[in-house]
Amino acid sequence: MSAPTEAAVPTGPAPPHSAPLPRLLGSELLWVLRRPRTLVLLGVFGLIPVLIAIGVAVGDRSAPGLIGAIAGNGLVLPVAAMTIALALLLPLAVAMAAADAIAGESAQGTLRGLLIAPVSRLRLVGMKAFGVLVVATLATSAIAVVGVLAGLCVVGTADGQLVTLSGSTLSWTAALARVALVVVWTIGQLAAVGAVSLAISAVTDHPLVVLAAVLGGLIVFGVLSAIPALDWLQPFLLTTGWRAGADALRDPLPWDGMVESSWRAGCYLLIGGALTVVRMLRRDA
């Protein structure tokens, strides 16, 4: 009786397996944090509240608006700094991150390796979106944390409390909760900017085109919002309601502006994300 033959074992290379998602996200995080541009931007954003605090401490304390409210009321500083930076500087940082994420890698020739790697296109988009969100979170958090510290050390507070724009006072814990709320809301607005920036970055090989398109769009939105005859456009402009973060300094807190702007940002986020996915799924390696 003949011995049973052994089953044939394939000798070719094993089929590639997709890398685990945590490893992909960790790799993208390291890539983002190792860029000198990211570190420089975080340093610049940390300087914003410091410069405002010094200006308030040595300047005219009767200035109108949010800047005037900072005098002797340091916990207003982080909210004011985030509101000012959201007008242009924070979107600029997010647009730069999105431009480097896809268009920048395409220009350097490294995107091709990612497209032919054993990683689904959908996961690749998720990686890049994660990197942009990290930049938005770090930049906003840098302003908030340094703003709180600068407000306490340079400007001072009213017996450790926050004097709201409504004239009432909030405890230290409640004030920090308001600051954290503005941080989360600001990151949501920047996520919408990042989604649109990624969609533009996916259709071009030139990072400067992404920056020009995003910043140009924000400037156009600002101009359109300043024309009274075009008031009907307000609900469709992403920048509408970007000053709603200052509502966190009122008591009781009016939610309408922040909720409405969050819904608007969510719509832009979905549209930008969908366009990015469609483009990346159809893009040639």
Side-chain angles (χ1 to χ4, degrees):
M1 186 174 180
S2 60
T5 59
E6 295 183 357
V9 179
T11 58
H17 296 282
S18 179
L21 184 59
R23 182 186 300 175
L24 296 175
L25 297 182
S27 175
E28 185 69 16
L29 178 62
L30 290 177
W31 182 76
V32 169
L33 295 180
R34 285 176 178 174
R35 285 184 303 189
R37 182 181 302 176
T38 302
L39 301 179
V40 171
L41 282 175
L42 293 180
V44 170
F45 285 120
L47 281 176
I48 292 176
V50 174
L51 295 177
I52 296 176
I54 295 174
V56 170
V58 303
D60 185 7
R61 298 197 168 206
S62 60
L66 281 177
I67 300 300
I70 297 175
N73 195 17
L75 291 177
V76 174
L77 177 59
V79 177
M82 283 186 282
T83 302
I84 294 172
L86 183 59
L88 184 61
L89 294 179
L90 283 172
L92 172 62
V94 172
M96 290 174 62
D100 288 336
I102 299 179
E105 292 216 27
S106 178
Q108 296 173 6
T110 55
L111 183 63
R112 175 179 172 82
L114 293 174
L115 293 177
I116 64 177
V119 179
S120 69
R121 300 291 180 90
L122 191 59
R123 281 196 172 192
L124 178 59
V125 173
M127 284 173 52
K128 298 305 179 182
F130 173 74
V132 174
L133 185 61
V134 165
V135 173
T137 302
L138 291 178
T140 307
S141 300
I143 295 177
V145 173
V146 177
V148 171
L149 296 176
L152 295 178
C153 298
V154 180
V155 180
T157 61
D159 298 327
Q161 296 179 324
L162 168 67
V163 180
T164 66
L165 299 180
S166 304
S168 60
T169 58
L170 297 177
S171 66
W172 165 261
T173 304
L176 290 183
R178 296 289 183 96
V179 174
L181 174 64
V182 179
V183 169
V184 174
W185 173 81
T186 302
I187 293 173
Q189 302 301 309
L190 294 177
V193 176
V196 175
S197 302
L198 279 176
I200 301 173
S201 185
V203 299
T204 181
D205 296 335
H206 305 286
L208 289 180
V209 172
V210 182
L211 293 178
V214 173
L215 296 183
L218 294 178
I219 292 173
V220 170
F221 280 9
V223 172
L224 294 177
S225 63
I227 301 176
L230 299 178
D231 286 345
W232 57 274
L233 276 176
Q234 295 290 336
F236 305 99
L237 303 179
L238 177 59
T239 56
T240 300
W242 270 10
R243 289 192 168 272
D247 290 343
L249 299 174
R250 304 185 185 278
D251 189 33
L253 196 157
W255 290 96
D256 294 348
M258 300 182 75
V259 171
E260 181 181 350
S261 58
S262 296
W263 278 110
R264 187 180 302 109
C267 294
Y268 275 86
L269 177 63
L270 291 176
I271 295 173
L275 292 176
T276 305
V277 170
V278 170
R279 170 57 181 162
M280 293 302 292
L281 289 177
R282 296 181 176 180
R283 183 160 185 159
D284 296 331

